[in-house]
Amino acid sequence: MARMRGAIAAVVGIGEVPTGKFPERSALEAAAQVAREAVRDSGVDRRDIDVVMPTGSIFSRDFNSDLIFGRLVEELGLSGTVHSNMQVMAGGASGSTLLKTAAALVRAGLANNVLCVHADKLGTGVPIDVAIDIFSTLGIPEDWERPYGQHFSSIAALITRRYMEETGTTAEQVASVCVALRKWAELNPNAMFRKPLIVAEVLESKMLSEPLHAKESNMLADGASAFVVTRAERAADLTEKPAYLLGAAGRVTHYSLTQEPDMTRFGYADAARDAFAMAGIGPKDVDIAEIYDSYPVFNLIALEEMGLVERGVAGAFVLAGNTWPGGKLPMTTNGGMLSQGHTGAGGGVAVLVEACRQLMGKAGPRQVPNARIAVETSTGGSYMDAQVLVLANEVR
């Protein structure tokens, strides 16, 4: 195994509430709850949190403005002790971007402990048709694509069809990603969907945007999650198993999908190469793949482009059960957006929190035994960026 290099920073505490439809739970209540959980879990005194970093909330302009202007700082009783409240927003890539930004602050000595928070109410905070209209077209060019009916499901369908044509991947293999994720969600008390799922059920569901079916699409939900980032050298004094950030890289490849050079690869190969080199590891060293999964094809693309499996075999690999609980390469072990639920920018934050949870040994019945190294991916907008993080619970 490659010798791991020094850690950039460490996650020492996490918090999360159940994802789903919770009309009685306000976004502020959820944000405050996960923030307090993460701080308690971290072992950091709340008065030692010097930066609060919320990411964007989509359902409400007013709530998002409150996050920008420090309402959470006041709600947590941190007024006067926090040095900075700043919003970091990169859509689905916000989890990775929050951690990269927080790590840079602590690495540079500009902060000691950074609290990163997400909360949204896309499930019940606005009428569902409004939520779909808002969410499905954000980041799609208003001049050239949106007027002609382009939306996230149609974009995912284009990518899926092209990927299937190029690699020979079957509809059953694509659908098997949803089944694999549901296997993990069955073990996750915070997941929105926990009922067992089979490939036939996925393929028999309503056709959404050919070749994608309804059960291959994410469901908008209410949710919140948080994590605390600190300097790597003090992390072990705070918690038994920190989640150390060893490598981070990304590629922004387009805004409009028409400008993406290869919609079946994106920038994952380049991002993974750089992140692995920074961490001093290779694909064979990865124990867990926490992959951003707004639609199943993106799991397959990421697996292949990161070198975790060969090009064109990811579908067969997943269909064979290799990414299920007990499989060779556990993947997206919280159930992802396709089973835990999609909370806007929080979908990626939840996947990152799950990567840390696994490395910290706090995943309960879905804990992956002897997990040491996790790779986490995310992407925002019309899959315009490919972000790859490498995390580990020890540093050599």
Side-chain angles (χ1 to χ4, degrees):
M1 185 183 73
R3 183 173 178 81
M4 292 184 289
R5 297 177 182 169
I8 304 166
V11 175
V12 289
I14 55 175
E16 188 174 64
V17 294
T19 301
K21 295 185 182 297
F22 297 93
E24 74 288 350
R25 186 182 72 196
S26 74
L28 180 61
E29 175 190 353
Q33 181 176 335
V34 297
R36 292 185 179 111
E37 284 183 7
V39 173
R40 282 196 299 267
D41 189 48
S42 72
V44 173
D45 189 295
R46 69 182 180 88
R47 292 165 295 187
D48 291 331
I49 297 292
D50 42 21
V51 175
V52 174
M53 191 180 293
T55 193
S57 179
I58 297 172
F59 90 100
S60 166
R61 180 192 66 178
D62 291 337
F63 176 66
N64 192 60
S65 296
D66 283 349
L67 293 175
I68 293 171
F69 298 129
R71 185 173 182 185
L72 191 56
V73 173
E74 185 173 279
E75 186 73 17
L76 296 171
L78 300 177
S79 300
T81 61
V82 165
H83 301 170
S84 183
N85 181 94
M86 63 178 76
Q87 186 167 91
V88 173
M89 175 63 162
S94 293
S96 303
T97 307
L98 282 167
L99 181 51
K100 288 167 71 173
T101 306
L105 288 172
V106 301
R107 182 83 171 185
L110 297 174
N112 292 312
N113 305 293
V114 181
L115 171 62
C116 301
V117 186
H118 170 269
D120 217 321
K121 278 183 69 70
L122 287 168
T124 64
V126 290
I128 191 62
D129 57 333
V130 174
I132 292 172
D133 286 344
I134 293 172
F135 184 76
S136 66
T137 56
L138 286 175
I140 295 177
E142 189 173 4
D143 295 331
W144 306 110
E145 294 184 18
R146 203 182 303 177
Y148 304 99
Q150 187 77 294
H151 53 85
F152 279 131
S153 289
S154 64
I155 285 176
L158 286 170
I159 295 165
T160 302
R161 171 55 66 199
R162 181 67 182 178
Y163 174 81
M164 292 172 70
E165 290 296 325
E166 285 194 8
T167 63
T169 300
T170 67
E172 289 77 11
Q173 290 169 346
V174 174
S176 73
V177 173
C178 305
V179 175
L181 297 177
R182 187 62 61 86
K183 293 288 184 181
W184 289 107
E186 290 175 43
L187 305 173
N188 182 4
N190 286 339
M192 187 176 185
F193 300 105
R194 301 184 65 193
K195 180 182 176 182
L197 186 65
I198 60 174
V199 168
E201 185 180 351
V202 175
L203 296 180
E204 289 167 5
S205 64
K206 178 183 176 181
M207 185 66 74
L208 207 63
S209 294
E210 202 279 331
L212 288 176
H213 301 79
K215 290 187 183 294
E216 292 171 305
S217 176
N218 49 79
M219 180 68 73
L220 298 181
D222 307 332
S225 51
F227 56 94
V228 174
V229 182
T230 194
R231 298 192 309 273
E233 57 268 25
R234 72 182 295 247
D237 294 330
L238 295 168
T239 187
E240 182 180 355
K241 280 188 176 183
Y244 294 102
L245 176 63
L246 303 186
R251 287 294 188 280
V252 178
T253 53
H254 64 284
Y255 167 62
S256 167
L257 188 68
T258 62
Q259 303 305 305
E260 161 58 49
D262 189 336
M263 70 173 67
T264 69
R265 286 183 169 86
F266 300 107
Y268 276 118
D270 290 339
R273 183 189 64 243
D274 291 353
F276 289 167
M278 183 183 294
I281 69 156
K284 293 182 179 179
D285 299 315
V286 174
D287 298 313
I288 305 174
E290 300 289 1
I291 297 176
Y292 187 91
D293 69 306
S294 54
Y295 294 89
V297 69
F298 298 107
N299 295 69
L300 304 180
I301 291 172
L303 282 172
E304 293 176 356
E305 293 303 296
M306 290 192 294
L308 300 176
V309 299
E310 294 181 6
R311 171 77 170 175
V313 304
F317 183 80
V318 174
L319 182 62
N322 289 304
T323 64
W324 291 14
K328 294 178 182 178
L329 183 63
M331 179 183 71
T332 317
T333 57
N334 66 340
M337 281 151 280
L338 290 168
S339 278
Q340 175 156 321
H342 200 319
T343 57
V349 180
V351 171
L352 174 58
V353 165
E354 176 67 10
C356 297
R357 182 184 288 115
Q358 287 284 351
L359 294 174
M360 298 167 85
K362 298 177 179 180
R366 65 183 187 283
Q367 180 65 52
V368 176
N370 304 314
R372 292 193 315 112
I373 299 175
V375 63
E376 185 263 354
T377 76
S378 62
T379 184
S382 56
Y383 318 102
M384 44 76 73
D385 57 354
Q387 299 296 320
V388 177
L389 302 182
V390 178
L391 301 113
N393 55 23
E394 60 182 58
V395 182
R396 293 188 178 187

